[in-house]
Amino acid sequence: MANPNQDQADFWSKKPGLTWSENDAAMDATLAPVLDHLLQVAALRPGERVLDIGCGTGLSTMRAGKVAAHVTGVDIADQMLVKARARAAGQGNVDFQCADAQTHAFGEGIFDAVISRFGVMFFADPPAAFANIARAVKPGGRMVFMTWASGPENPWFAVPRDVAIKRLGEVEPTPPHAPGPMGLADVDYTRDVFAKAGLTDVTITPVSLDLTPPGTAHWMGEFSLILGPASRIFAELEGTEEDAAAIVAGVAERFEDCETEDGLRIPAVLNRIEVRC
């Protein structure tokens, strides 16, 4: 059977995924408060077996493995897992599998808990994916996922996008609920997804926290042309060096108010999804 998420596998196995891997230290620093919150709520315990969906280059799996008995990190992009395995060398209670969590046969009742930091918004068929994942959870087990709320609520996405569009023009918008960072931003839609998956003990909680990029407002301007919506717009509309300079300056100016004595602090709004199985 063809992989229903082949587009995502291709996407994350080519330039975008490679760029993320090359910049994973910056992304891990930026998203550190998200991972801290996820692990606090998941409350993993010694003796538990854990599944980490969309583990990327492995930090979330490794952190979970500091507490749980064993953690399996799953990602659709094998090139990310090459780096994850290298990072986790010597941590014997973690392993990594290149698999599509929507269709992979994990087995019945294997895991005590499933976690994900921004790894569950990319499924072609979300109800099928969550039903498949839930089958791998022991009765009484739990799933905790962190997802993005809407783009306008998150300057990390909204500011670079707005600056790039102002400079270069519009690109074709992503359809609502399409696989992507905002795929589960709509809470009502997300509740329906889990209901269709046969999961009814679901709590979705808005979470406000600050992202912590490892640089200044100017760094954010430069980084916006490496990853994220501005980089996509710049590439699609074939921006020039002058356009790049203008976007960097515009993004930097918009983020100046986020500079603090402790570093850059960018407000974010997330959805925390908790599921009891």
Side-chain angles (χ1 to χ4, degrees):
M1 181 180 70
N3 181 354
N5 292 295
Q6 188 61 49
D7 288 347
Q8 290 297 319
D10 292 342
F11 180 87
W12 290 105
S13 296
K14 295 179 181 176
K15 185 176 179 181
L18 290 170
T19 302
W20 181 290
S21 295
E22 291 166 357
N23 293 276
D24 63 342
M27 290 306 302
D28 284 341
T30 299
L31 302 179
V34 181
L35 182 54
D36 289 345
H37 182 85
L38 169 65
L39 294 176
Q40 180 182 13
V41 173
L44 306 177
R45 296 182 289 270
E48 290 190 319
R49 294 183 63 85
V50 178
L51 178 64
D52 180 15
I53 302 292
C55 64
T57 59
L59 179 63
S60 52
T61 307
M62 295 163 62
R63 285 279 306 276
K66 298 294 184 182
V67 179
H70 190 274
V71 186
T72 296
V74 172
D75 202 280
I76 204 167
D78 189 56
Q79 57 83 16
M80 284 194 171
L81 297 180
V82 170
K83 191 163 189 178
R85 294 184 182 104
R87 294 177 78 183
Q91 190 172 344
N93 69 330
V94 303
D95 73 284
F96 298 96
Q97 298 180 17
C98 183
D100 181 352
Q102 180 175 317
T103 58
H104 183 70
F106 292 106
E108 299 281 337
I110 303 297
F111 300 102
D112 300 281
V114 182
I115 61 171
S116 181
R117 181 197 68 176
F118 298 141
V120 297
M121 303 93 70
F122 303 95
F123 299 122
D125 186 341
F130 290 117
N132 185 58
I133 295 166
R135 281 192 287 272
V137 183
K138 297 177 182 178
R142 63 206 185 278
M143 302 192 284
V144 183
F145 306 133
M146 299 301 295
T147 66
W148 293 104
S150 70
E153 295 177 277
N154 283 286
W156 175 264
F157 294 99
V159 167
R161 179 184 180 278
D162 291 348
V163 170
I165 286 175
K166 183 176 181 180
R167 177 71 186 190
L168 294 170
E170 294 277 359
V171 294
E172 185 174 351
T174 301
H177 316 315
M182 306 303 165
L184 297 177
D186 183 328
V187 171
D188 290 337
Y189 166 78
T190 302
R191 290 187 192 281
D192 187 56
V193 163
F194 282 94
K196 289 177 178 176
L199 300 165
T200 57
D201 192 349
V202 179
T203 303
I204 303 175
T205 306
V207 175
S208 297
L209 47 73
D210 287 341
L211 306 181
T212 54
T216 62
H218 182 75
W219 179 91
M220 267 301 305
E222 293 181 327
F223 195 72
S224 73
L225 288 178
I226 297 173
L227 278 173
S231 65
R232 174 199 165 200
I233 294 167
F234 183 83
E236 287 191 13
L237 300 183
E238 300 180 342
T240 65
E241 290 185 7
E242 291 77 11
D243 294 326
I247 291 169
V248 169
V251 172
E253 181 180 6
R254 293 276 298 274
F255 279 119
E256 284 178 354
D257 289 345
C258 295
E259 290 185 330
T260 75
E261 292 181 355
D262 298 320
L264 204 59
R265 298 293 182 267
I266 298 179
V269 181
L270 317 174
N271 291 328
R272 185 183 74 231
I273 304 170
E274 298 171 76
V275 183
R276 293 286 172 177
C277 298

